[in-house]
Amino acid sequence: MAKLLLQKSGPLHGEVSISGSKNAVLPILAATVLCSEPCELFDVPGLKDVDIMCRLIESLGAKVERNREENSVAIDPSGITGHVAPEELVKMMRASMVVMGPLLARMGKAVIPLPGGCAIGDRPIELHLKGFKALGAEIDVSKEGVVTGECEKLRGANIYLDFPSVGATENIVMAASLAEGTTVLENAAQEPEIVDLCNFLNKMGARIKGAGTDTIKIEGVEKLHSAKHVVIPDRIEAGTYMLAAAITRGVVLIRNMLPDHVKPIIAKLRECGAEIYQTDEGVIVKADEGTLRSTDIKTLPYPGFPTDLQSPFMALLTTVEGQSAVIETVFENRYMHVKELKKMGADISVKDRCAIIRGGAKLKGAKVAATDLRAGAAVVLAGLVAEGVTEVSQIYHIERGYEDFVEKMAGLGAIIKRVED
Ligand code: EPZ
């Protein structure tokens, strides 16, 4: 298995360019299943999760052509005849669930063999199923966890989400796009990735209003047509490099990012004493040794502080003087990185959903694991400032969500190497 070897790297400096958003392109790829004409996507990141989603829609009968040099994907969904998501692909990626809405809408049936939970939580899907039932689908979940849906023709409905689930919002919006009549989705997720998905659906001829607010109105249409779309930059990747600059007390220019999508990170980094400048070239993050101070963060659905940056931000907080509190409200078990950071000498204690960080201790290199995608980023950031060598295992998690991670970090002066075990 591959590992990352890191050493204390000194202040990062230089510039990095952000790739297309993983969490936008995955539902957008699934949305092509709704269409019966060719579509083309640009700024598609070269990630393992994207490979899996492309293989999934190919398994249903779509033709998919990746151009990795140009980061583009051409999809011809006209040949889709399947409605069963292959178990081996779904097991590799929970986000496969978002093909269910498009399959119900396009094929009238869907079979998704869902995996159980993962490192960060049980990942239930009852809100997705509540939406599909409201739209008129018959839903069955076998004791093995295989989800089956059938419907003659989906019909518009008024749906309230008990929690603004990103995946449930995406699935229901896509299913409703081809339903008969109008759907109003209340307490919808407001993430930028939802807006990007709805922009793509509207380019294909869907009639969706309110994306980015808590109420989305979808007027069903007969069919969707060809569209081209440039995927938005990945706000979580952008936040990760902002935190890499801050934790190493460096100066980094981050190109191709949308500051509006990372307002909580900008606010919290400024609270810590980092300097953030928005320029025509991109966002500059600058932090000096000794000037950073502690702060508290609480994760919330967008526009609150993003849960996906909780663990990388915690890594920063272990290096600043003072006590910080981190409260994770979105996932029930997203502190797997705490054990790993403590192996490096961090002083963190967790009670229920609150972690208390007593910052300022000198971190030391250790053998740690990437327990999930973002926890992996957190231990890498810590490894950049820890004395000695840090060895990170299970890095396939990191490679699922950060394009050219080693190259981009090394380009900023990080002492980082990928080795096969
Ligand atoms: C998306 O996951 C993202 N993944 C996650 O990013 C992100 O952390 C999450 O949204 C929250 O922002 C993709 O977009 C591919 P949710 P998703 O449904 O859709 C509960 C990363 O690192 N819930 O909003 O699965 C659920 O248990 C990944 O890139 C229900 O209770 O997130 C969780 O506690 C990690 N019932 C909370 O909602 C449901 O039916 C948020 O889940 C659905 C969800």
mmCIF file of all heavy atoms in Angstrom, residues 301-320:
data_model
loop_
_atom_site.group_PDB
_atom_site.id
_atom_site.type_symbol
_atom_site.label_atom_id
_atom_site.label_comp_id
_atom_site.label_asym_id
_atom_site.label_seq_id
_atom_site.Cartn_x
_atom_site.Cartn_y
_atom_site.Cartn_z
ATOM 1 N N PRO A 301 -24.576 22.962 8.294
ATOM 2 C CA PRO A 301 -24.856 22.965 6.852
ATOM 3 C C PRO A 301 -24.564 24.351 6.268
ATOM 4 O O PRO A 301 -24.577 25.347 6.989
ATOM 5 C CB PRO A 301 -26.351 22.631 6.787
ATOM 6 C CG PRO A 301 -26.642 21.901 8.066
ATOM 7 C CD PRO A 301 -25.736 22.529 9.097
ATOM 8 N N TYR A 302 -24.253 24.381 4.970
ATOM 9 C CA TYR A 302 -23.960 25.654 4.297
ATOM 10 C C TYR A 302 -25.121 26.620 4.502
ATOM 11 O O TYR A 302 -26.279 26.195 4.464
ATOM 12 C CB TYR A 302 -23.785 25.385 2.798
ATOM 13 C CG TYR A 302 -23.125 26.517 2.045
ATOM 14 C CD1 TYR A 302 -21.749 26.561 1.892
ATOM 15 C CD2 TYR A 302 -23.878 27.549 1.505
ATOM 16 C CE1 TYR A 302 -21.126 27.600 1.203
ATOM 17 C CE2 TYR A 302 -23.272 28.583 0.819
ATOM 18 C CZ TYR A 302 -21.895 28.603 0.674
ATOM 19 O OH TYR A 302 -21.291 29.633 0.005
ATOM 20 N N PRO A 303 -24.840 27.900 4.768
ATOM 21 C CA PRO A 303 -23.552 28.609 4.703
ATOM 22 C C PRO A 303 -22.752 28.579 5.997
ATOM 23 O O PRO A 303 -21.854 29.418 6.152
ATOM 24 C CB PRO A 303 -23.987 30.029 4.376
ATOM 25 C CG PRO A 303 -25.317 30.179 5.079
ATOM 26 C CD PRO A 303 -25.964 28.841 5.006
ATOM 27 N N GLY A 304 -22.989 27.627 6.872
ATOM 28 C CA GLY A 304 -22.183 27.537 8.098
ATOM 29 C C GLY A 304 -20.808 26.975 7.819
ATOM 30 O O GLY A 304 -20.460 26.663 6.679
ATOM 31 N N PHE A 305 -20.025 26.777 8.870
ATOM 32 C CA PHE A 305 -18.652 26.264 8.710
ATOM 33 C C PHE A 305 -18.718 24.832 8.164
ATOM 34 O O PHE A 305 -19.401 23.988 8.733
ATOM 35 C CB PHE A 305 -17.922 26.289 10.047
ATOM 36 C CG PHE A 305 -16.455 25.980 9.920
ATOM 37 C CD1 PHE A 305 -15.521 26.994 9.871
ATOM 38 C CD2 PHE A 305 -16.000 24.662 9.793
ATOM 39 C CE1 PHE A 305 -14.167 26.723 9.726
ATOM 40 C CE2 PHE A 305 -14.654 24.369 9.627
ATOM 41 C CZ PHE A 305 -13.732 25.397 9.592
ATOM 42 N N PRO A 306 -18.028 24.519 7.077
ATOM 43 C CA PRO A 306 -18.175 23.194 6.438
ATOM 44 C C PRO A 306 -17.557 22.063 7.245
ATOM 45 O O PRO A 306 -16.395 22.133 7.646
ATOM 46 C CB PRO A 306 -17.449 23.363 5.105
ATOM 47 C CG PRO A 306 -16.489 24.479 5.318
ATOM 48 C CD PRO A 306 -17.094 25.391 6.345
ATOM 49 N N THR A 307 -18.309 21.001 7.443
ATOM 50 C CA THR A 307 -17.809 19.841 8.180
ATOM 51 C C THR A 307 -16.551 19.268 7.529
ATOM 52 O O THR A 307 -15.670 18.750 8.212
ATOM 53 C CB THR A 307 -18.897 18.745 8.286
ATOM 54 O OG1 THR A 307 -18.333 17.569 8.883
ATOM 55 C CG2 THR A 307 -19.481 18.387 6.940
ATOM 56 N N ASP A 308 -16.431 19.408 6.209
ATOM 57 C CA ASP A 308 -15.279 18.807 5.511
ATOM 58 C C ASP A 308 -13.976 19.518 5.828
ATOM 59 O O ASP A 308 -12.900 19.000 5.521
ATOM 60 C CB ASP A 308 -15.508 18.823 3.993
ATOM 61 C CG ASP A 308 -16.618 17.871 3.601
ATOM 62 O OD1 ASP A 308 -17.020 17.045 4.449
ATOM 63 O OD2 ASP A 308 -17.106 17.957 2.464
ATOM 64 N N LEU A 309 -14.055 20.718 6.426
ATOM 65 C CA LEU A 309 -12.803 21.413 6.801
ATOM 66 C C LEU A 309 -12.595 21.418 8.311
ATOM 67 O O LEU A 309 -11.658 22.058 8.811
ATOM 68 C CB LEU A 309 -12.787 22.825 6.225
ATOM 69 C CG LEU A 309 -12.529 22.859 4.718
ATOM 70 C CD1 LEU A 309 -12.731 24.248 4.138
ATOM 71 C CD2 LEU A 309 -11.124 22.360 4.391
ATOM 72 N N GLN A 310 -13.422 20.678 9.029
ATOM 73 C CA GLN A 310 -13.285 20.618 10.490
ATOM 74 C C GLN A 310 -11.955 19.994 10.887
ATOM 75 O O GLN A 310 -11.202 20.569 11.692
ATOM 76 C CB GLN A 310 -14.460 19.819 11.069
ATOM 77 C CG GLN A 310 -14.470 19.643 12.562
ATOM 78 C CD GLN A 310 -14.079 18.242 12.993
ATOM 79 O OE1 GLN A 310 -12.977 18.029 13.498
ATOM 80 N NE2 GLN A 310 -14.947 17.299 12.784
ATOM 81 N N SER A 311 -11.615 18.840 10.290
ATOM 82 C CA SER A 311 -10.375 18.182 10.715
ATOM 83 C C SER A 311 -9.124 18.953 10.273
ATOM 84 O O SER A 311 -8.229 19.167 11.100
ATOM 85 C CB SER A 311 -10.346 16.733 10.208
ATOM 86 O OG SER A 311 -10.642 16.659 8.838
ATOM 87 N N PRO A 312 -9.047 19.484 9.025
ATOM 88 C CA PRO A 312 -7.858 20.274 8.698
ATOM 89 C C PRO A 312 -7.734 21.532 9.564
ATOM 90 O O PRO A 312 -6.638 21.934 9.950
ATOM 91 C CB PRO A 312 -8.077 20.642 7.224
ATOM 92 C CG PRO A 312 -9.000 19.598 6.695
ATOM 93 C CD PRO A 312 -9.903 19.251 7.851
ATOM 94 N N PHE A 313 -8.868 22.128 9.919
ATOM 95 C CA PHE A 313 -8.804 23.332 10.769
ATOM 96 C C PHE A 313 -8.334 22.955 12.174
ATOM 97 O O PHE A 313 -7.576 23.674 12.818
ATOM 98 C CB PHE A 313 -10.175 24.028 10.837
ATOM 99 C CG PHE A 313 -10.062 25.511 11.114
ATOM 100 C CD1 PHE A 313 -10.227 26.433 10.082
ATOM 101 C CD2 PHE A 313 -9.790 25.988 12.384
ATOM 102 C CE1 PHE A 313 -10.103 27.805 10.322
ATOM 103 C CE2 PHE A 313 -9.661 27.354 12.634
ATOM 104 C CZ PHE A 313 -9.819 28.263 11.599
ATOM 105 N N MET A 314 -8.757 21.777 12.627
ATOM 106 C CA MET A 314 -8.312 21.312 13.964
ATOM 107 C C MET A 314 -6.792 21.157 13.976
ATOM 108 O O MET A 314 -6.137 21.505 14.964
ATOM 109 C CB MET A 314 -8.978 19.988 14.332
ATOM 110 C CG MET A 314 -8.658 19.563 15.763
ATOM 111 S SD MET A 314 -9.321 17.934 16.172
ATOM 112 C CE MET A 314 -11.064 18.291 16.341
ATOM 113 N N ALA A 315 -6.238 20.681 12.865
ATOM 114 C CA ALA A 315 -4.771 20.539 12.803
ATOM 115 C C ALA A 315 -4.118 21.893 13.035
ATOM 116 O O ALA A 315 -3.174 22.029 13.812
ATOM 117 C CB ALA A 315 -4.360 19.961 11.444
ATOM 118 N N LEU A 316 -4.658 22.934 12.408
ATOM 119 C CA LEU A 316 -4.112 24.285 12.625
ATOM 120 C C LEU A 316 -4.233 24.665 14.099
ATOM 121 O O LEU A 316 -3.278 25.167 14.704
ATOM 122 C CB LEU A 316 -4.858 25.307 11.757
ATOM 123 C CG LEU A 316 -4.566 26.776 12.093
ATOM 124 C CD1 LEU A 316 -3.118 27.146 11.785
ATOM 125 C CD2 LEU A 316 -5.530 27.703 11.334
ATOM 126 N N LEU A 317 -5.381 24.398 14.696
ATOM 127 C CA LEU A 317 -5.616 24.841 16.084
ATOM 128 C C LEU A 317 -4.670 24.165 17.070
ATOM 129 O O LEU A 317 -4.378 24.720 18.137
ATOM 130 C CB LEU A 317 -7.075 24.579 16.472
ATOM 131 C CG LEU A 317 -8.107 25.423 15.708
ATOM 132 C CD1 LEU A 317 -9.526 24.966 16.055
ATOM 133 C CD2 LEU A 317 -7.918 26.910 16.010
ATOM 134 N N THR A 318 -4.133 22.988 16.703
ATOM 135 C CA THR A 318 -3.191 22.337 17.638
ATOM 136 C C THR A 318 -1.857 23.100 17.673
ATOM 137 O O THR A 318 -1.043 22.877 18.560
ATOM 138 C CB THR A 318 -2.875 20.876 17.200
ATOM 139 O OG1 THR A 318 -2.134 20.911 15.961
ATOM 140 C CG2 THR A 318 -4.133 20.052 17.039
ATOM 141 N N THR A 319 -1.662 24.018 16.697
ATOM 142 C CA THR A 319 -0.353 24.700 16.639
ATOM 143 C C THR A 319 -0.419 26.151 17.118
ATOM 144 O O THR A 319 0.567 26.874 17.054
ATOM 145 C CB THR A 319 0.183 24.724 15.186
ATOM 146 O OG1 THR A 319 -0.640 25.641 14.412
ATOM 147 C CG2 THR A 319 0.137 23.350 14.542
ATOM 148 N N VAL A 320 -1.605 26.602 17.540
ATOM 149 C CA VAL A 320 -1.676 28.001 17.990
ATOM 150 C C VAL A 320 -1.877 28.017 19.495
ATOM 151 O O VAL A 320 -2.565 27.173 20.072
ATOM 152 C CB VAL A 320 -2.813 28.784 17.280
ATOM 153 C CG1 VAL A 320 -2.606 28.793 15.788
ATOM 154 C CG2 VAL A 320 -4.179 28.219 17.620
#
